[in-house]
Amino acid sequence: MSKRIAAKYKINRRLGVNLWGRPKSPLNRRDYGPGQHGQRRKGKTSDFGTQLMAKQKLKGYYGNIGEKQFRRYFAEANRRKGDTGQNLVGILESRLDAVVYRAKFVPTVFAARQFVNHGHVTVNGKKVNIPSYLVKEGDVIEVKEKSRQIPMVLEAVESVEREVPEYVNSDLKAMKATFVRVPELADIPYPVQMEPNLIIEFYSR
């Protein structure tokens, strides 16, 4: 198990939010940070601290994306026409691992990354094992036949914990999903408030 997966609930507690809305999150029992100093009273957060927190939440939600890669996403979002914040979340939701997660083929974002890495999915009939691969509108993502009985997959399909958003057309019987369109911020079912406008401010300092 990677350090990222082992520490996923530490991310919740460090940020002070149940990032994925999961009932198993330790934040539901202990709403303070990890470590021996986690229960110290928090002071007022500066503008920089608020902007940094917004960035860490969005990075963390998608499996704790590295800073270098996240900065590249921001640069691409800024380069595209339209609202940079909307572009940023649109790019993140277009990641193959994010689409696999949204389609309910796996239970968590971290599981989605591992699932793609291990070659369990195809895009338009071709194997793609790069979690950061950007899916295009109309692309069809499918779980390979031999991978459909993996316990983690069966658990996700049967789970009522979350629903498939309207921008992903998921057929759970056929284990196939179509990425209908790039979503806007309001379309994305984040369990916590995401503030891409603060991330723009952070990188514009």
Side-chain angles (χ1 to χ4, degrees), residues 76-160:
E76 174 59 22
N78 198 35
R79 186 190 65 78
R80 294 183 183 183
K81 290 181 180 178
D83 183 273
T84 301
Q86 297 280 9
N87 291 343
L88 179 60
V89 295
I91 290 169
L92 292 167
E93 282 291 306
S94 300
R95 282 174 56 106
L96 179 56
D97 57 357
V99 178
V100 166
Y101 173 64
R102 292 289 180 222
K104 280 186 68 176
F105 294 154
V106 292
T108 69
V109 175
F110 293 89
R113 178 178 293 173
Q114 188 178 47
F115 197 64
V116 174
N117 257 330
H118 291 179
H120 294 299
V121 300
T122 62
V123 178
N124 301 329
K126 296 179 180 178
K127 187 177 90 169
V128 179
N129 60 0
I130 302 167
S132 61
Y133 175 87
L134 295 182
V135 174
K136 299 179 182 68
E137 292 181 355
D139 280 355
V140 176
I141 296 90
E142 189 171 2
V143 177
K144 288 184 175 180
E145 186 81 42
K146 64 180 181 181
S147 306
R148 296 177 186 180
Q149 296 304 311
I150 293 174
M152 173 180 71
V153 175
L154 298 174
E155 175 201 337
V157 168
E158 293 172 5
S159 173
V160 294

